[in-house]
Amino acid sequence: GKDLISIYDTETMKLLDKRSLILKGIQEFQFSPKANIIACWAPESANSPAHVDVIDLPSRKKLRQKNLFNVTKCSMVWQNDGTYLAVKVTRHTKSKKTFYNNLELFRLEDAGVPVEMIDIKDAVMALAWEPNGDKFAMIHAENPSSTKVNVSFYSMTKKTTTEAKGKKKAQTTLTKEVNLV
């Protein structure tokens, strides 16, 4: 049905807790490759923002919800170990004539599942995690039909910075950018 995901126990083939997971407006969902966790996103509706939810199963507990505004589309990519989730968010201006991207990076093994945002001025054409590790690569260009593209490599390795209140914050770092013609 609409607005729900039916999840079955693989041993018994019975509906988990005898009920579906209700997620209003859900557009896409993906299971973690290693843990009993599901990630999903829903667009803006009425006065509610778009949001990405990370939900533990079978408890159905929301581990993290990230609210997003002016969203056109989201694409989710899990890291192979399920340690990180990258969400490419395509946003629009209020006139809906200009589009831009940002990445929302979820750190699933850190307390509270912190989320980092990276603004991307270019059109993001592809994003992929390395097979084993904490790095990802992104292909991007000034516009989607451009013949000149860039490939950027990022590392999720914790480079800690200290904020004003003395809190330490993990930060994703750009390790290298390559321009291809």
Side-chain angles (χ1 to χ4, degrees):
K2 188 179 175 191
D3 296 337
L4 49 91
I5 302 172
S6 297
I7 303 165
Y8 292 86
D9 183 310
T10 55
E11 290 180 18
T12 64
M13 289 311 295
K14 291 186 179 177
L15 192 60
L16 186 65
D17 293 337
K18 299 180 183 174
R19 60 192 168 102
S20 295
L21 183 62
I22 299 169
L23 298 162
K24 188 176 178 196
I26 184 171
Q27 291 294 304
E28 179 186 349
F29 70 92
Q30 289 190 14
F31 284 95
S32 165
K34 296 282 178 154
N36 289 328
I37 295 174
I38 191 169
C40 59
W41 85 274
E44 297 169 72
S45 66
N47 293 329
S48 299
H51 53 92
V52 175
D53 296 334
V54 178
I55 302 167
D56 177 67
L57 295 171
S59 71
R60 301 171 189 252
K61 177 185 174 196
K62 271 191 192 170
L63 301 175
R64 186 70 153 94
Q65 180 173 339
K66 174 71 178 183
N67 291 331
L68 306 163
F69 298 91
N70 302 323
V71 175
T72 301
K73 184 177 186 335
C74 288
S75 301
M76 299 179 287
V77 183
W78 281 98
Q79 181 250 12
N80 284 354
D81 291 333
T83 305
Y84 309 108
L85 171 67
V87 180
K88 181 190 92 160
V89 183
T90 303
R91 297 177 186 253
H92 54 80
T93 56
K94 290 192 180 195
S95 67
K96 296 187 179 181
K97 292 181 181 177
T98 305
F99 296 93
Y100 58 99
N101 294 287
N102 71 281
L103 299 179
E104 302 287 342
L105 302 164
F106 292 74
R107 294 178 175 273
L108 277 93
E109 292 186 352
D110 291 4
V113 188
V115 181
E116 294 175 58
M117 185 189 68
I118 299 176
D119 277 318
I120 311 294
K121 291 179 174 70
D122 293 347
V124 177
M125 299 149 119
L127 182 140
W129 291 94
E130 68 180 336
N132 297 305
D134 66 354
K135 296 177 184 72
F136 65 92
M138 176 178 59
I139 300 173
H140 54 100
E142 198 170 295
N143 64 61
S145 60
S146 180
T147 56
K148 181 184 175 190
V149 297
N150 299 309
V151 180
S152 297
F153 299 89
Y154 290 84
S155 173
M156 295 291 289
T157 302
K158 291 184 182 177
K159 173 187 168 189
T160 56
T161 57
T162 305
E163 295 180 325
K165 296 178 183 174
K167 287 184 177 179
K168 289 196 175 186
K169 180 182 175 185
Q171 186 176 21
T172 303
T173 55
L174 173 65
T175 56
K176 189 171 191 169
E177 185 165 287
V178 180
N179 298 317
L180 305 173
V181 180

